[in-house]
Amino acid sequence: RSVVKLEFSRMEEFTGNVAESRRLSQECRGASKNEWKVYLEAILLEMRANNIDAAIAEAEAALKVHFGTGRLWAIYIRLMRHRGTAAQMEVFHRALAKVPKSGEVWCEGARICLAPDVAGFDLDNARRYLNFAIQFTPQYGDSFIEFLRLELLENGVDCDTSELEQICVNADPNYGVMWFHCKQNPLDGTRAV
């Protein structure tokens, strides 16, 4: 039932009726508190509406119920970028205390280290965090995209990425925002992405 309401919510958002989309999303959360994905959809709705403060509030509410869900922590870390690096790092450390084996959370930690607005990249920690991300959640493709970025930052465009490519092919990732952004065709295999 909540899946159908979520689809209606997405349809309303697509047609420009964000208020109705929010109402339907809220109904879903009320009916399906045990489903972390309904909370994730509410956060994403606010992000797409460029209402970051509401998205942060939704993430905080979601984590009160689903504090053991790495994907919710990861999106919360990403949202905290709007409040500065210190806020992001604070949430990153809180997340590691709750979900230490979440590849999504470790990948967000690496993204903080690779952010161009941070005084001096922390490439060593980024590499360490990405190794954890790939070890704990190899199906999360964004970790491989960020690892490629790290290699390019460290070694330039002519670097040898064959080992990373082979690890990625063996892991066969199947989700992640950046992963899908880089996947130009639904039929593209891991090596093509």
Side-chain angles (χ1 to χ4, degrees):
R1 181 179 145 133
S2 64
V3 173
V4 175
K5 279 193 180 183
L6 276 179
E7 289 302 320
F8 275 120
S9 173
R10 289 183 192 126
M11 182 188 68
E12 291 293 343
E13 180 189 8
F14 182 74
T15 60
N17 192 352
V18 176
E20 181 62 13
S21 181
R22 278 189 188 109
R23 188 189 70 71
L24 289 167
S25 178
Q26 191 171 18
E27 277 185 26
C28 287
R29 285 191 316 280
S32 303
K33 284 190 187 250
N34 295 331
E35 272 297 318
W36 64 268
K37 289 180 182 177
V38 296
Y39 288 90
L40 179 63
E41 285 297 324
I43 297 165
L44 293 173
L45 170 66
E46 296 302 340
M47 287 175 71
R48 289 188 298 264
N50 203 26
N51 193 351
I52 302 304
D53 289 334
I56 289 171
E58 291 286 353
E60 289 168 346
L63 287 167
K64 286 179 183 171
V65 179
H66 297 284
F67 54 85
T69 305
R71 207 170 308 175
L72 292 174
W73 279 106
I75 203 161
Y76 186 39
I77 294 166
R78 195 171 317 136
L79 285 165
M80 294 308 284
R81 176 182 48 160
H82 297 278
R83 296 198 177 156
T85 304
Q88 266 190 304
M89 286 305 288
E90 188 270 328
V91 172
F92 172 62
H93 290 294
R94 281 180 35 215
L96 289 179
K98 298 290 185 185
V99 286
K101 292 187 177 182
S102 169
E104 293 97 335
V105 168
W106 284 108
C107 184
E108 288 303 319
R111 285 177 172 151
I112 296 168
C113 295
L114 293 172
D117 58 339
V118 177
F121 292 118
D122 187 352
L123 301 181
D124 291 334
N125 270 334
R127 180 174 297 282
R128 191 165 63 96
Y129 295 169
L130 287 169
N131 280 321
F132 284 139
I134 290 170
Q135 177 185 350
F136 294 135
T137 315
Q139 64 273 24
Y140 185 55
D142 284 19
S143 299
F144 292 99
I145 302 295
E146 294 299 338
F147 220 125
L148 178 61
R149 182 164 68 120
L150 173 63
E151 290 293 331
L152 293 172
L153 284 170
E154 283 187 325
N155 305 309
V157 294
D158 295 326
C159 65
D160 179 18
T161 59
S162 59
E163 184 179 339
L164 176 61
E165 183 178 330
Q166 190 57 53
I167 293 168
C168 183
V169 167
N170 291 343
D172 194 25
N174 57 21
Y175 75 101
V177 174
M178 288 302 300
W179 183 257
F180 285 123
H181 177 76
C182 293
K183 191 172 185 167
Q184 296 177 353
N185 184 313
L187 300 177
D188 282 348
T190 303
R191 194 172 303 274
V193 177

